[in-house]
Amino acid sequence: MTVREGLQIEISGIPAENGKCRVETQLKITLQLKNAKGESVKDWKQLRLPHPLIAKEKHRMEKFNGRNKHIQDSEILTLDARLVCDHDMTKVLECCDNCIGRERKRAHRRKESQRLPGPLSSIPIFGSVSAKNGASSLANEPVPPTPTDPVEYQAWERSRIMVFSSTEFVDISLGQCLLPTRITCYCRHHNEKVGFR
């Protein structure tokens, strides 16, 4: 869907100090849609967040992702969220190896994940994988909420430099929504002295 010109996204709720660089702090970000005149835009009923950036596996599953089945696709606005450095906004960031390790331990402690037998550093597999007989049964299998291929999983982990603690679909019918967000990597790991944007 093409979004008309003049649509602006206004973000509030990020503290002036430490909010743009602290990892463990959850930020309660308010996202508002406004037109060129600064008026609230209420043309969409739901906002779809990037699937990989949803914190909980359950909320990435189709059954629990918050999608209202009575809403048409044209009434859903899709958000493309990225984290960039303040000093170089062309550089899209990924989570570093140290922070990926910390996030794995965090997930393990919260029992949100299942992992392969072996040390904690082994790649965890979210969801379940079961053997099926016949190609037709595989075609009907739903896409897992988290990649199960090790290479895809590593790329998926790197892309999760920020995560949303909400369902994949959130209500934006009033022209705004609250997005609990957590940054998973420190700005100093990217040689950034001011913070992320």
Side-chain angles (χ1 to χ4, degrees):
M1 165 180 189
T2 305
V3 178
R4 65 179 176 276
E5 287 190 34
L7 186 67
Q8 300 172 357
I9 297 175
E10 188 176 288
I11 295 174
S12 58
I14 301 174
E17 295 288 319
N18 295 327
K20 296 196 284 185
C21 63
R22 182 77 181 101
V23 168
E24 295 299 329
T25 305
Q26 182 163 287
L27 307 169
K28 294 198 186 319
I29 294 175
T30 302
L31 183 143
Q32 294 178 305
L33 297 177
K34 296 196 172 181
N35 60 21
K37 296 176 183 177
E39 303 164 333
S40 185
V41 176
K42 303 174 184 177
D43 296 347
W44 293 276
K45 294 188 177 171
Q46 283 195 308
L47 177 70
R48 183 178 189 177
L49 302 175
H51 182 79
L53 303 185
I54 304 303
K56 289 190 177 184
E57 179 188 22
K58 176 182 177 180
H59 293 150
R60 292 189 300 271
M61 299 170 84
E62 188 174 344
K63 185 176 178 182
F64 303 106
N65 67 3
R67 169 78 155 93
N68 185 333
K69 305 294 182 193
H70 303 292
I71 292 178
Q72 302 294 321
D73 288 347
S74 61
E75 297 175 298
I76 297 173
L77 186 64
T78 301
L79 178 69
D80 182 17
R82 296 187 180 116
L83 207 60
V84 295
C85 284
D86 190 73
H87 76 277
D88 182 5
M89 290 195 246
T90 61
K91 182 181 174 186
V92 178
L93 303 174
E94 292 185 331
C95 198
C96 72
D97 291 338
N98 288 338
C99 290
I100 287 173
R102 189 198 64 252
E103 287 298 306
R104 286 180 183 175
K105 289 176 185 175
R106 187 177 197 271
H108 179 71
R109 281 193 311 268
R110 293 178 60 99
K111 300 189 188 295
E112 287 274 328
S113 65
Q114 299 172 353
R115 61 184 179 90
L116 294 171
L120 187 60
S121 62
S122 64
I123 296 171
I125 301 295
F126 293 78
S128 60
V129 179
S130 57
K132 298 280 183 183
N133 294 328
S136 60
S137 63
L138 283 174
N140 296 330
E141 278 296 299
V143 176
T146 307
T148 54
D149 175 70
V151 175
E152 286 179 20
Y153 185 79
Q154 285 179 330
W156 179 82
E157 275 185 312
R158 289 198 178 286
S159 72
R160 290 170 54 87
I161 192 163
M162 67 174 161
V163 292
F164 299 108
S165 300
S166 69
T167 55
E168 186 176 352
F169 293 84
V170 294
D171 180 61
I172 197 162
S173 58
L174 298 176
Q176 67 178 28
C177 62
L178 182 68
L179 299 176
T181 308
R182 190 169 59 83
I183 297 172
T184 62
C185 196
Y186 289 95
C187 61
R188 68 174 180 265
H189 295 177
H190 301 275
N191 297 320
E192 175 55 51
K193 293 179 175 53
V194 177
F196 294 136
R197 288 190 178 258

